[in-house]
Amino acid sequence: MWSSLLAVLFLILASDVIGQESIRKPNIILVMVDDLGIGDVGCYGNNTIRTPNIDRLASEGVKLTQHIAAAPLCTPSRAAFMTGRYAVRSGMAGAGAVRVNLFLGGSGGLPPGETTFAKRLQQQGYTTGLVGKWHLGLSCEQRGDHCHHPNQHSFSFFYGLPLTFLNDCAPGMGTDILKHLQHTFQKISVLLMVGLFTLMCVRACGLIDINPWLSVALLLVSFLLIAMWYTVFGLLPRWNCIIMRDQEVVEQPMTLETLPHRLLTEAQNFIERNTDHPFLLFFSLAHVHTPLFNSPAFAGRSRHGRYGDDVEEMDWLVGELTKTVDSLGLANDTLMYFTSDHGGHIESSHPLIGQGGGWNGIFRGGKFMGGWEGGIRVPGIFRWPGRLAAGRVVDEPTSLMDLYPTLKHLAGDTQPERPLDGHNLMPLLEGKVTRSAHEFMFHYCGSHLHAARWHPPDSDSIFKVHFITPKFSPPGAVGCYDPGMCSCHGEHVTRHDPPLLYDLLRDPSESHPLGPETEPRYAEVLHRITEAMHTHQLSLVDKQPNQMTWDKILWRPWLQPCCGTFPFCGCKEDAR
Ligand SMILES: *[C@@H]1O[C@H](CO)[C@@H](O)[C@H](O)[C@H]1NC(C)=O
Ligand SMILES: *[C@@H]1O[C@H](CO)[C@@H](O)[C@H](O)[C@H]1NC(C)=O
């Protein structure tokens, strides 16, 4: 009798514990790599690169094979990720040539009125932190107003790069900012100097008599041009390559050698500080964007040059972070997520390092390229041993925008919401449903809608329709090698009428367009997708003003974050 009583008591206690466990809010760790291609990762089919730590997350959790970024470019993809809505809605999708923030002294950015998942979680009692890259703007009207800063968007802790990792940040790697304009400036200055020098020689030799005013004028113009170039571009690495801790600039320009380690340590410390409290950590890596790190422990170790070394170092960072979670006993209470902001930049290469961008496996296209799969299909891994079965693979369409509603759900937040473009992923991750809630997805290039996909409820097909595609150059190439990135509009794109149709289920590489003769549902597919696009476009009425305009993007001295004396700004972080 006693034993059955004890058993009952035990059952009551146990159910209580289980009950508590199910209401405990999980910790959330989101790891986002910059520019990583889906073909760069072992568990997505790469057998020559070593990513054991990412592969382990996948084998201990759920791997998504059709995880789609909302844009093939950093700023809009990240804005959509943060808000759970297409970037056009928050004004973070550019209509013209500028599509990302180029200067920390620009005024465009994620509008202060937008709601990020960090805000939702903070309201539910989470401690929120962002370590690494932000790239969604900084100030609006004056230096230090930090209207777009991560703190403003509810990350109570921030350590990292308010902009992004740029070639400008590494000596000898060239520039990513208005390259053509910089070169034009340089050429004109050189020409003027040469002209001036020749004139002076000619005059000194007494060959001809030249009006001295002409020489003075030329001298002045050259001086002005060089001064202009220097102010605008010569100080760029100092102005753009900085590290902030919360609102303070702690390093300018940043020291690359120690950066990977510092980012990791900050992320680990954040976790250690918050073990007794639900937390959100967004670990947003500077890897594997060019100029690429060249850490001694990884240099020359991979089979894919400096790029491969960088991927393997990134994998190591992921492993160290996972170790921290596991060794603190947090694994069962922590949802870990791994992804990339968009596909690899296949055109990127550099005389000093060779391959500079990622590999998108069997998928066509890459970064910058509108709706082509290679630019938007990215790794997506969820590990949560306490709740998700190990080794599950989900082939249904999912989006990076799904994180917002998923995290909101996990935090127990039931507040009403503006319409979101993402869906709660938990039913799919737990295997409670087999179909994705995404029937349609839209693929933007800047603010231009280039393509859309339809996953009909009655079929496994994934129909994808391209209305507009970027023009590759030189002709016959598989990317825009000249000028190194594809544009979204005007003469740089092809408009397809009739549009290009593919079924990704049968043709994931988008190589055989379907027609009425080869696809019985051809007319229906076009009709349904056009209709859905129309409904989607009608839902954009309340969109925010465009933040990615020249007017907002260009550098303003009064917005430039700076430690030390402006404009020469400089400081170095104390070793901790
Ligand atoms: C593995 O990744 C490297 C680096 O991007 C790439 O060059 C290589 O082609 C990939 N290999 C396979 C088999 O996908
Ligand atoms: C974590 O959860 C899994 C699955 O529920 C369980 O088998 C395991 O024992 C748990 N580990 C710890 C340390 O609680």
Side-chain angles (χ1 to χ4, degrees), residues 39-41 45-49 304 307-308 311 355 357-359 361:
D40 291 328
V41 184
N46 196 319
N47 52 12
T48 53
I49 206 156
H304 300 287
Y307 182 79
V311 171
Q355 176 181 357
W359 170 248

Side-chain angles (χ1 to χ4, degrees), residues 463-499:
F463 291 112
K464 187 147 156 222
V465 170
H466 293 264
F467 297 90
I468 304 174
T469 55
K471 269 186 202 153
F472 290 163
S473 66
V478 289
C480 305
Y481 288 84
D482 170 29
M485 54 185 152
C486 292
S487 295
C488 301
H489 65 291
E491 49 174 358
H492 309 290
V493 297
T494 310
R495 282 162 200 283
H496 301 277
D497 191 14

Side-chain angles (χ1 to χ4, degrees), residues 410-431:
L410 291 173
D413 180 344
T414 51
Q415 291 176 71
E417 184 73 71
R418 314 182 284 182
L420 294 174
D421 297 308
H423 297 285
N424 174 15
L425 279 176
M426 282 312 286
L428 206 54
L429 297 178
E430 290 188 290

Side-chain angles (χ1 to χ4, degrees), residues 6-171:
L6 272 177
V8 169
L9 205 70
F10 177 77
L11 274 179
I12 292 171
L13 282 174
S15 68
D16 203 39
V17 170
I18 291 165
Q20 269 179 15
E21 228 174 43
S22 63
I23 54 163
R24 196 204 132 99
K25 294 173 181 173
N27 305 313
I28 312 281
I29 298 182
L30 311 174
V31 180
M32 180 177 272
V33 186
D34 199 3
D35 282 19
L36 179 73
I38 194 169
D40 291 328
V41 184
C43 60
Y44 284 93
N46 196 319
N47 52 12
T48 53
I49 206 156
R50 287 166 302 189
T51 57
N53 296 295
I54 301 166
D55 302 350
R56 191 187 125 204
L57 286 182
S59 68
E60 293 177 359
V62 182
K63 178 172 93 169
L64 308 178
T65 62
Q66 199 185 150
H67 199 42
I68 306 294
L73 201 59
C74 301
T75 296
S77 167
R78 285 162 189 266
F81 173 67
M82 287 284 165
T83 58
R85 292 154 54 96
Y86 289 106
V88 265
R89 298 194 195 272
S90 51
M92 296 297 278
V98 248
R99 285 184 278 154
V100 298
N101 287 106
L102 297 176
F103 301 97
L104 276 173
S107 73
L110 192 61
E114 287 295 312
T115 308
T116 62
F117 53 68
K119 182 164 186 180
R120 287 296 188 187
L121 294 193
Q122 196 176 52
Q123 284 169 352
Q124 296 302 313
Y126 275 73
T127 309
T128 53
L130 164 55
V131 174
K133 161 175 169 165
W134 172 243
H135 211 182
L136 295 174
L138 196 59
S139 291
C140 289
E141 282 169 11
Q142 45 185 302
R143 180 174 315 160
D145 72 24
H146 292 170
C147 66
H148 306 299
H149 186 282
N151 289 161
Q152 164 69 33
H153 283 293
S154 302
F155 286 100
S156 56
F157 174 69
F158 171 58
Y159 176 89
L161 298 75
L163 195 67
T164 179
F165 199 33
L166 295 161
N167 276 321
D168 306 68
C169 305

Side-chain angles (χ1 to χ4, degrees), residues 450-527:
H450 274 197
R453 85 180 60 207
W454 181 35
H455 186 32
D458 59 354
S459 146
D460 287 334
S461 283
I462 306 279
F463 291 112
K464 187 147 156 222
V465 170
H466 293 264
F467 297 90
I468 304 174
T469 55
K471 269 186 202 153
F472 290 163
S473 66
V478 289
C480 305
Y481 288 84
D482 170 29
M485 54 185 152
C486 292
S487 295
C488 301
H489 65 291
E491 49 174 358
H492 309 290
V493 297
T494 310
R495 282 162 200 283
H496 301 277
D497 191 14
L500 295 174
L501 170 66
Y502 300 95
D503 180 359
L504 298 181
L505 179 71
R506 289 172 285 161
D507 178 21
S509 307
E510 299 172 281
S511 40
H512 309 292
L514 300 169
E517 328 75 45
T518 43
E519 175 49 57
R521 296 180 75 172
Y522 183 82
E524 182 201 355
V525 173
L526 290 196
H527 174 71

Side-chain angles (χ1 to χ4, degrees), residues 160-453:
L161 298 75
L163 195 67
T164 179
F165 199 33
L166 295 161
N167 276 321
D168 306 68
C169 305
M173 287 295 289
T175 180
D176 289 330
I177 311 291
L178 309 178
K179 213 180 287 181
H180 293 299
L181 192 62
Q182 289 205 47
H183 289 167
T184 314
F185 254 119
Q186 275 167 333
K187 274 185 214 151
I188 297 179
S189 319
V190 168
L191 271 179
L192 275 171
M193 289 306 268
V194 169
L196 188 71
F197 189 71
T198 322
L199 270 183
M200 304 235 282
C201 283
V202 167
R203 196 155 172 257
C205 306
L207 291 179
I208 28 171
D209 196 26
I210 294 164
N211 183 346
W213 290 112
L214 184 63
S215 324
V216 172
L218 265 174
L219 191 71
L220 266 179
V221 170
S222 331
F223 180 76
L224 262 177
L225 267 171
I226 290 169
M228 245 166 97
W229 176 83
Y230 184 73
T231 347
V232 183
F233 298 115
L235 285 166
L236 255 190
R238 250 164 215 277
W239 289 341
N240 270 347
C241 307
I242 76 173
I243 300 292
M244 292 179 87
R245 181 182 295 280
D246 292 325
Q247 316 257 339
E248 190 194 345
V249 181
V250 293
E251 191 160 280
Q252 189 167 16
M254 60 199 181
T255 313
L256 303 191
E257 290 70 28
T258 54
L259 189 57
H261 240 272
R262 281 186 286 160
L263 292 176
L264 174 63
T265 309
E266 291 292 339
Q268 289 172 319
N269 290 348
F270 178 83
I271 297 174
E272 279 160 15
R273 283 200 298 276
N274 291 293
T275 45
D276 57 351
H277 199 83
F279 64 82
L280 160 74
L281 169 65
F282 178 24
F283 188 40
S284 170
L285 288 152
H287 293 74
V288 296
H289 202 287
T290 47
L292 306 174
F293 292 96
N294 192 22
S295 309
F298 294 90
R301 296 290 171 88
S302 80
R303 287 167 61 179
H304 300 287
R306 173 97 66 101
Y307 182 79
D309 300 346
D310 211 55
V311 171
E312 295 192 0
E313 177 173 40
M314 176 278 292
D315 176 77
W316 176 79
L317 291 169
V318 172
E320 291 304 294
L321 198 72
T322 312
K323 256 190 229 162
T324 304
V325 173
D326 293 359
S327 67
L328 290 170
L330 298 176
N332 274 4
D333 299 324
T334 304
L335 172 69
M336 285 190 74
Y337 168 68
F338 176 87
T339 196
S340 171
D341 58 352
H342 49 71
H345 186 197
I346 55 177
E347 297 99 333
S348 170
S349 79
H350 193 278
L352 287 180
I353 58 171
Q355 176 181 357
W359 170 248
N360 302 316
I362 59 167
F363 301 109
R364 181 161 173 185
K367 180 178 179 180
F368 290 112
M369 295 185 208
W372 290 118
E373 203 69 4
I376 51 178
R377 194 182 288 221
V378 293
I381 298 170
F382 286 85
R383 184 195 81 149
W384 184 4
R387 179 99 177 249
L388 301 178
R392 186 193 300 280
V393 176
V394 172
D395 297 320
E396 288 284 297
T398 57
S399 166
L400 270 70
M401 294 184 290
D402 295 339
L403 266 292
Y404 183 115
T406 306
L407 302 188
K408 185 178 174 215
H409 164 81
L410 291 173
D413 180 344
T414 51
Q415 291 176 71
E417 184 73 71
R418 314 182 284 182
L420 294 174
D421 297 308
H423 297 285
N424 174 15
L425 279 176
M426 282 312 286
L428 206 54
L429 297 178
E430 290 188 290
K432 290 186 178 152
V433 301
T434 52
R435 299 285 300 193
S436 163
H438 285 281
E439 188 177 342
F440 295 97
M441 273 191 201
F442 306 101
H443 306 304
Y444 279 91
C445 192
S447 61
H448 308 270
L449 193 47
H450 274 197
R453 85 180 60 207

